[in-house]
Amino acid sequence: MGRIDELVAQRVTADRADAVRAFAEAYLRREGAAPDGGDEGPGAEALFHELLGAFELAAGRDGAPVAVRAFNPTRAEHGYEPAGSVVETNTEDLPFLVDSVSAELHARGLSIVRLLHPIVGTERGPDGRIVRVLHPSGAPAAESVMHFEVDRRLTPEELADLEDAVRAVLADVRRVVRDFPAMKAALEEMVELARAGAVRYDADEVEEAVAFLRWVGEGNFILLGARAYDVVDGALAIVPGSGLGLLDDERRSRFARPVPLDELEPGLRERLVDGELLLVSRTNARSPVHRRERMDELLLRRVAPDGSTAGHSRLLGLFTSKAWAAPASQTPMLGRKLRRILAAEDLIEGSHDYKAAISVFDSFPKEELLAASTEDLRAAIVGLLAVQGDHVGVLGRRDGDGRSASVIVALPKSRWDPAALERVRARLAERFGADVVEAHEVLGEEGRVRVHLSVHRAAGGLPDVDWNELRAEVEELTRTWDDRVRERLVAVHGDERGRILAKRWARRLPDSYKAAVPPEAGAVDIASFERLFAGGEPFLVALRNEPAPDGTLLTRIGLYRLGGKLELSRVMPILEDLGLRVIEERPTRLQDGDGETWLQDFGVLGPGDRALDCDAVGPRVAETITAIWRGEAESDSLNRLVVTTELDWRRLGILRAYRRYRQRIGSRYTEAYQHDVLAANAPITAKLMALFALRFDPDRPRDETVENALRDEILAELEAVPSLDHDRILRNQLGLIDATVRTSAYRSGRRALAFKLRSDDVPAIPRPAPLFEIYVHAPEVEGIHLRGGRIARGGIRWSDRMDYRTEVFGLMRAQMTKNAVIVPDGAKGGFYLRRPPPDPAALRDEILAELE
């Protein structure tokens, strides 16, 4: 207070300084009231102007019931400038002030970032202005000062509207507090009127009504309004002067003038004329006092000596937290309903069903228990006890006034989450045309949930609904991803197997996966995980098509792996070599405890930026990626033909071996360019491989007529190739097939691919050519063996040169020249490691292993 005292002394006139200083002490009494800088730091100047403004508002109230201002403080005009708007009020100290104004601000979507609420004692002079500020306990008057800072600045129009609304709220609070004694008296009168109902109602019902009204008066109900109505000559009208609290303005009532009962809606007329002695319901209007929610209404029937309805006494208010906390079975009037339900169901005290019925009854929201009839509650409890296991139950009733309905949803806890709640609320709002759908959730036993939903339409006229249809809709809305994937697995794999797969795998998939992947796709992934674990291989590939968020179709390539996640730098080139454009990756790690199982799911597009035909292409793509991962195949741009033709990775291995052999005998074209040519002329490339199969597949009887016909067809198509380079490369491929004598391409279990070629027939081979040569090709090694004659001999050696054929050919020629007498027809061979280990010892071991 030091700096604040100094500012008061410097800037406030002597006749007001003591009052302002005392006000400042009360204003700053609450810890944390000061803004940044405190009352001693650089914020003291702003705080002084803030509290001085609040003091001036209170001092100038001048006998008016309330003073309110909503404004945007600026440093130039007010001496301080918070980020948001400010609302300040002054009135006599009353209950509910802070709660009521805060509720009004929240209802407008405003967040309160700072709130001060000092209670000050005041003494005012003849002019109505504050002359002294005292402690509230010893002052002529205790006054409330409220200062609210909100999270944003409002427009002038919004400020004016807010100021009027806050003033109206404070007026409502004053009316409620003013009439509280009279409303207490009205409640006591209702007790006596309830006793008078014995001429028409059973003693048990009268006793329960009396007990309930007394319970209401024991701190279980906040009284907000009261009013009485008479039934005279078949019409209903307000008893003049009976309005209290929020109901004191009788002119605003529909029944300010008599309204014939036969003009009322049938449900309301039945409720007023033939209903129970005491009715409890909720109103359309929300309370402007204390809590901004729909108010509770108590309507007591006044019974004439002849048993007819003479009128009604009405109380308006809010049940307190104490009321909601009390067990329903021990609450007056509700206990009677429970006893009648237990008796009607003939439940034996202490039995399982007896205890279960009480437990369900106690779990109901009290407003539902109070508003619903005994028969409706009985039907709901019996229905809920019958819904077990995975089943979903939907029970409901529609109030007779046509404004409200109650819906109860009972379902497994696994099927309920905030998203499901919002879906169900939206559907109920749509089906009933409702303004408000409130929800109350109850966690039951055995992993089940009950959700009580209150549907309200202020204008009335709630439509009737088919409860069976609604149950089916709610069941669909609350089906989880796990439910849907289980249904899909059952449809594909049968009931028993599908349920086993769902139970085994669905719980291991994280929520992030389930949020992104449709259940149909999830069923495919689960089947793939099962194959992965059952197949003995730590790697699996599967393809499927799936709609993208923009509605286009995207191919998803799933890489399933036991162990760590594959590096993108390894995976991306494989996919791009297949001619695929990678759009996204969706990685998922299974919840396996200490183990690691991964799904790396890539969204890709094929040629023309279209999804692949997974039925036709999928198996070849999956086999190719798997073969590359195992080291059985290579990844390069030749793999595009897997997608654009019917060639698989094995036949592409033949093309790749021929192409690499061409490089060893000498070619002016790069490997990448040759790939482009083979892909650009895919139909011819496919026919070249078909010719190879006709010549060398041992499972096909050799038919030279068919071979020659296909060869002629290829030659005819080559004539139409416009590029000379393309023509030359494709003819060289055809010439290599023609020059091949035999091959190991169709031998099962082979580690490498070998061709035996007549060297003279090889196009553009360097001269002089050997008689035969055998080319061996594998992903990790390649080699060649040259023979000068049909009977020849010679060794094989390792070479560290990529042009090792030239080296081997030179050695063979030298052997034939130097040793012509001993070895007239020489032979030499050599091999080249494509990925030699850097360590010399490891390199030697690798060379020796290849020589063996």
Side-chain angles (χ1 to χ4, degrees), residues 217 330 367 505 573 736 754:
Q330 299 174 25
E367 58 264 34
W505 293 103
L736 287 175

Side-chain angles (χ1 to χ4, degrees), residues 78-92:
H78 305 94
Y80 70 105
E81 192 166 342
S85 296
V86 167
V87 179
E88 290 181 334
T89 70
N90 171 239
T91 184
E92 62 185 296

Side-chain angles (χ1 to χ4, degrees), residues 561-566 596 598 600:
R561 175 170 162 77
L562 297 176
K565 182 182 177 184
L566 291 172
E596 275 198 76
W598 281 90
Q600 289 172 259

Side-chain angles (χ1 to χ4, degrees), residues 649-663:
W649 67 271
R650 293 177 180 83
R651 287 187 283 178
L652 289 187
I654 297 169
L655 275 174
R656 188 174 290 111
Y658 275 138
R659 182 216 65 207
R660 191 155 285 143
Y661 171 71
R662 285 292 324 167
Q663 298 300 114

Side-chain angles (χ1 to χ4, degrees), residues 387-406:
V387 180
Q388 302 294 332
D390 293 336
H391 297 289
V392 175
V394 176
L395 307 167
R397 67 173 185 83
R398 182 176 173 273
D399 285 352
D401 61 7
R403 296 183 310 187
S404 300
S406 174

Side-chain angles (χ1 to χ4, degrees), residues 154 176 201 356 374 428 552 607 756:
L154 306 178
V176 167
Y201 294 96
T374 302
L428 292 180
T552 60
K756 182 177 180 181

Side-chain angles (χ1 to χ4, degrees), residues 117 175 275 364 397 421 546 590 620 731 771 784 816:
H117 180 218
R175 288 173 21 223
F364 271 49
R397 67 173 185 83
L421 171 59
E546 181 181 305
L590 262 62
R620 291 199 303 276
R731 288 183 187 274
L771 181 61
I784 200 157
M816 293 176 68

Side-chain angles (χ1 to χ4, degrees), residues 547-792:
D550 62 359
T552 60
L553 202 61
L554 203 63
T555 296
R556 313 235 38 126
I557 299 181
L559 308 183
Y560 307 80
R561 175 170 162 77
L562 297 176
K565 182 182 177 184
L566 291 172
E567 294 179 1
L568 288 178
S569 60
R570 182 180 178 188
V571 178
M572 293 290 287
I574 295 174
L575 300 178
E576 290 170 349
D577 282 343
L578 285 160
L580 305 175
R581 185 161 70 92
V582 181
I583 306 300
E584 63 178 2
E585 183 204 11
R586 199 163 59 194
T588 301
R589 180 180 178 179
L590 262 62
Q591 298 169 346
D592 279 342
D594 294 333
E596 275 198 76
T597 303
W598 281 90
L599 163 59
Q600 289 172 259
D601 186 2
F602 294 88
V604 303
L605 291 173
D609 275 350
R610 294 183 179 180
L612 303 179
D613 183 346
C614 287
D615 291 336
V617 177
R620 291 199 303 276
V621 172
E623 289 175 4
T624 301
I625 296 173
T626 303
I628 293 170
W629 183 84
R630 290 174 178 167
E632 297 172 354
E634 298 176 54
S635 181
D636 56 34
S637 59
L638 192 63
N639 287 340
R640 286 174 286 176
L641 291 163
V642 170
V643 174
T644 58
T645 71
E646 295 183 1
L647 299 176
D648 60 18
W649 67 271
R650 293 177 180 83
R651 287 187 283 178
L652 289 187
I654 297 169
L655 275 174
R656 188 174 290 111
Y658 275 138
R659 182 216 65 207
R660 191 155 285 143
Y661 171 71
R662 285 292 324 167
Q663 298 300 114
R664 300 301 168 251
I665 63 175
S667 175
R668 59 179 173 175
Y669 305 109
T670 65
E671 292 185 9
Y673 182 69
Q674 292 184 61
H675 292 168
D676 291 342
V677 171
L678 293 170
N681 299 275
I684 297 177
T685 302
K687 289 180 179 180
L688 287 171
M689 287 297 94
L691 178 62
F692 183 90
L694 287 175
R695 290 196 59 192
F696 300 111
D697 187 349
D699 293 334
R700 297 183 181 185
R702 187 91 184 257
D703 188 334
E704 294 187 8
T705 303
V706 174
E707 289 177 27
N708 291 332
L710 180 56
R711 193 174 187 282
D712 291 341
E713 189 177 328
I714 293 171
L715 289 171
E717 292 186 12
L718 286 173
E719 291 297 327
V721 173
S723 168
L724 183 60
D725 286 341
H726 285 210
D727 178 85
R728 183 176 289 115
I729 290 170
L730 293 169
R731 288 183 187 274
N732 283 344
Q733 289 287 336
L734 177 60
L736 287 175
I737 294 172
D738 289 340
T740 301
V741 178
R742 58 178 180 268
T743 178
S744 66
Y746 294 96
R747 183 177 178 183
S748 62
R750 58 177 173 82
R751 289 183 56 226
L753 176 61
F755 304 113
K756 182 177 180 181
L757 303 106
R758 286 185 298 270
S759 300
D760 271 338
D761 293 341
V762 173
I765 193 169
R767 300 293 176 176
L771 181 61
F772 295 107
E773 49 192 284
I774 298 173
Y775 176 69
V776 179
H777 179 269
E780 68 279 359
V781 66
E782 59 179 280
I784 200 157
H785 190 264
L786 307 178
R787 293 173 55 186
R790 292 186 177 275
I791 301 174

